[in-house]
Amino acid sequence: MRADEASGQQFYLTGSVLGSSKSIAISRETFTEVAEAHAFYVNVILLEEKYDTLVENYYEFERELIEIAARHMLFEITDEVFFGQTSLINRRLLNLLSAAKMYIDHTRKQLIAMFGRKSNLVASISEKSETVKAINTGYFLLEQIRNYSQHAGYAVEDFSVGASSTRTNDKVLSYYDLRARINIDSIIGDPRIDRSLRDKTSEIQGRDAKDLIRDGIDGVSEVHQHLRDGIDLHLTARRDVLHAALALYQNQEPRYANESPILVRKENSTTTFHRYISKDIIHRLENYRRKNKQLRGLTNRRVIS
């Protein structure tokens, strides 16, 4: 009798389709390996979900700026509408900054949970973040204006929509562009803001807030790509384990070829652990990465309709 059977523990891959009773007994080692691979994939997906939340909030911020510029192109804007639009820009920005803060904080905590506080990957991500912060003013500014917005006031003081003209094929075309100004004097005057921000004042004053925010998102994306590179060193082995578990179950006979099993642990005939093992978890991660793979170089891009 195996030691796990003697202890009342049994491990299976069993059917997930109603009416399927086929189960395969597996060893404790195989069970542990598959459960760990599944948990690893779930954690990596959670990291990508947080990054995706950040990216979607950035998209909503940019979309709002385009919509406001379009309204200025078409309509006479009253003071009441203008102040409402300023508030709207700040609301979108605050959502974006909160998503960035969540991504940065949660990513560190999750990596520590996955690899340990003293792991090389956790240290590498922290070093990468500090390196980007030192050379990318927008990345450093994201955290500071988020803190300021949380306890002091809105970061964007005002904005303007300007028009420039160019002649093309005997037609004069007008281009409308929104420029927003960050309230940098009030931010650096806040005693709770990092004092080193003062040294970057000259880099910030006069710059369009859009460009600073885009620089910041560029910085986050650079750190995230570094994170992906580090995780990928561990991901392939876990993917192979999940594929092997699927093949072990599906290759029993043809009618199970498209069925995804459940990983089960029983103790004295009572199920104490179960996880659904499916290719969907692998595809989900691939889909997130495929969607969010072109986030570098935002400052150099423009949308023209």
Side-chain angles (χ1 to χ4, degrees):
M1 181 180 293
R2 294 189 326 198
D4 49 14
E5 292 176 346
S7 66
Q9 290 188 327
Q10 296 173 305
F11 308 96
Y12 298 98
L13 286 170
T14 190
S16 59
V17 177
L18 186 64
S20 174
S21 58
K22 182 66 175 180
S23 297
I24 298 178
I26 58 176
S27 67
R28 179 191 297 272
E29 291 73 19
T30 299
F31 169 85
T32 301
E33 190 177 45
V34 176
E36 191 276 335
H38 181 272
F40 188 89
Y41 251 86
V42 169
N43 277 301
V44 176
I45 288 172
L46 289 174
L47 291 171
E48 290 292 342
E49 282 183 339
K50 292 179 178 68
Y51 181 66
D52 185 66
T53 298
L54 168 65
V55 173
E56 288 288 354
N57 273 277
Y58 170 71
Y59 165 74
E60 291 173 3
F61 173 74
E62 288 279 10
R63 183 185 63 188
E64 203 67 65
L65 299 183
I66 292 172
E67 182 172 332
I68 291 172
R71 296 191 71 83
H72 279 253
M73 178 182 71
L74 295 173
F75 305 118
E76 185 71 24
I77 302 298
T78 65
D79 287 346
E80 182 178 2
V81 171
F82 175 81
F83 291 129
Q85 290 173 335
T86 305
S87 179
L88 183 56
I89 291 172
N90 275 297
R91 192 169 79 231
R92 293 296 189 199
L93 178 57
L94 186 55
N95 289 343
L96 172 59
L97 296 173
S98 297
K101 177 68 171 174
M102 178 194 72
Y103 168 80
I104 293 170
D105 289 351
H106 288 198
T107 294
R108 174 172 172 78
K109 290 178 182 177
Q110 200 160 338
L111 287 175
I112 290 174
M114 292 170 67
F115 296 98
R117 186 175 297 276
K118 295 183 178 180
S119 71
N120 291 335
L121 182 56
V122 171
S124 176
I125 295 301
S126 296
E127 291 171 6
K128 181 65 174 180
S129 181
E130 290 302 314
T131 298
V132 173
K133 187 183 294 186
I135 63 177
N136 185 325
T137 300
Y139 182 77
F140 176 66
L141 188 63
L142 283 181
E143 181 179 11
Q144 301 308 310
I145 60 178
R146 183 265 179 188
N147 293 341
Y148 177 81
S149 297
Q150 286 289 97
H151 64 246
Y154 284 147
V156 174
E157 187 170 20
D158 58 30
F159 74 94
S160 62
V161 177
S164 59
S165 299
T166 184
R167 181 176 292 276
T168 303
N169 297 328
D170 298 325
K171 181 185 291 187
V172 176
L173 301 178
S174 296
Y175 295 93
Y176 289 76
D177 182 47
L178 186 153
R179 293 182 61 84
R181 186 165 65 89
I182 289 178
N183 190 3
I184 188 61
D185 292 333
S186 295
I187 293 174
I188 62 175
D190 190 319
R192 286 169 287 193
I193 296 300
D194 192 323
R195 296 296 87 198
S196 61
L197 185 63
R198 292 178 180 272
D199 300 331
K200 299 178 181 292
T201 303
S202 61
E203 300 177 44
I204 298 170
Q205 285 179 327
R207 283 195 66 187
D208 185 359
K210 297 196 308 294
D211 288 341
L212 288 166
I213 298 303
R214 288 168 178 165
D215 281 350
I217 300 301
D218 269 351
V220 175
S221 297
E222 185 174 346
V223 173
H224 189 68
Q225 185 58 57
H226 187 75
L227 168 66
R228 284 178 175 175
D229 292 342
I231 283 178
D232 283 352
L233 298 175
H234 308 270
L235 195 63
T236 301
R238 269 73 172 195
R239 184 171 60 244
D240 290 345
V241 167
L242 293 178
H243 279 305
L246 285 165
L248 178 64
Y249 185 79
Q250 293 171 344
N251 290 342
Q252 329 171 50
E253 55 181 280
R255 68 191 180 103
Y256 296 117
N258 296 316
E259 186 177 336
S260 296
I262 298 176
L263 181 69
V264 173
R265 179 183 64 213
K266 289 188 176 183
E267 298 185 42
N268 298 319
S269 300
T270 300
T271 299
T272 58
F273 179 98
H274 66 278
R275 294 292 185 273
Y276 182 63
I277 307 299
S278 168
K279 288 182 180 179
D280 290 345
I281 193 172
I282 298 172
H283 294 159
R284 189 176 179 189
L285 177 59
E286 292 172 347
N287 289 339
Y288 271 130
R289 290 189 168 191
R290 188 179 302 112
K291 174 188 175 187
N292 297 319
K293 69 176 182 179
Q294 300 182 34
L295 269 293
R296 302 290 299 278
L298 293 174
T299 306
N300 302 322
R301 303 185 200 175
R302 296 293 183 271
V303 174
I304 298 176
S305 63

